[in-house]
Structures are given as structure tokens and as C-alpha cells.
Amino acid sequence: AQVLPTLFSPLEAQIAEAFDLEQFAVDYSGLRPASVYLVKNLFDGVGIAYRRSLMLSQQPMYEVRLFYRLPFRNRLLQRMRIGVGFDQAQTRFLFIEGTVLFK
């Protein structure tokens, strides 16, 4: 769980660049099934995010989110998004989320 992120990081960056994705990640912690996460900016602050588990033995779990990034000038508030989404059970939801980037 500690070594794999370091090994996947350059490959993830290359895949994101090749497909013009804002973000591409393979998540593996050992506690949960591995998953793939990608974010694509469509136009003017509108984007789509997709997460899918990589379980082969069961029905895979997934989540799709269509979002709008709020146009704030503040660096912290620029990472706020609102949107709608659905998952493998066809559960529909509205969301407000924010992220913090640690470097």
C-alpha cells in the first residue's frame, strides 16, 4: 500500500496527459478494493468525475458526477464544486464539495 502509489504516479500522470484529463488515479490501500478515478474538464468550469472499483468477483461499484466549479478568486474557494451524480444502484444525489491540495 505504501510502495504502489510511488510506482503508479508517473504512469498516472502520463495517462492523464494523453487523454487530457484533469486527474487520473489508481487507488489501492489494501483495506478496500482497488479503484480508478478520473476527472475531465468539459468546458468553462463544468466537468465530469468517474470512480469505479476493480472488483472482478462481484458487480463493480461506480459513481458518476457532473459538476460545476464555482468561479471564486480565492485559492481555497476555487476548489469548491456543486453538482449531481448517480451510482451503480441508480441512486441520484446532489453534492457540494471542496478539496484541499497538499504539496
Side-chain angles (χ1 to χ4, degrees), residues 17-33:
E17 185 178 329
F19 291 102
D20 193 29
L21 300 173
E22 183 176 321
Q23 183 178 358
F24 177 83
V26 177
D27 296 327
Y28 175 75
S29 68
L31 302 174
R32 294 179 299 186

Side-chain angles (χ1 to χ4, degrees), residues 46-96:
V46 175
I48 190 165
Y50 179 73
R51 181 181 304 274
R52 183 180 182 99
S53 70
L54 300 176
M55 296 185 303
L56 299 176
S57 61
Q58 301 174 11
Q59 178 184 4
M61 297 184 301
Y62 66 87
E63 182 177 275
V64 179
R65 293 175 175 226
L66 182 63
F67 64 85
Y68 176 67
R69 187 169 285 115
L70 298 172
F72 293 112
R73 293 194 189 279
N74 181 294
R75 288 187 59 175
L76 183 61
L77 295 176
Q78 284 177 343
R79 302 189 64 82
M80 296 287 296
R81 303 189 297 195
I82 59 171
V84 297
F86 64 91
D87 61 14
Q88 75 281 351
Q90 297 303 312
T91 303
R92 295 178 191 96
F93 53 89
L94 300 172
F95 66 91
I96 299 173

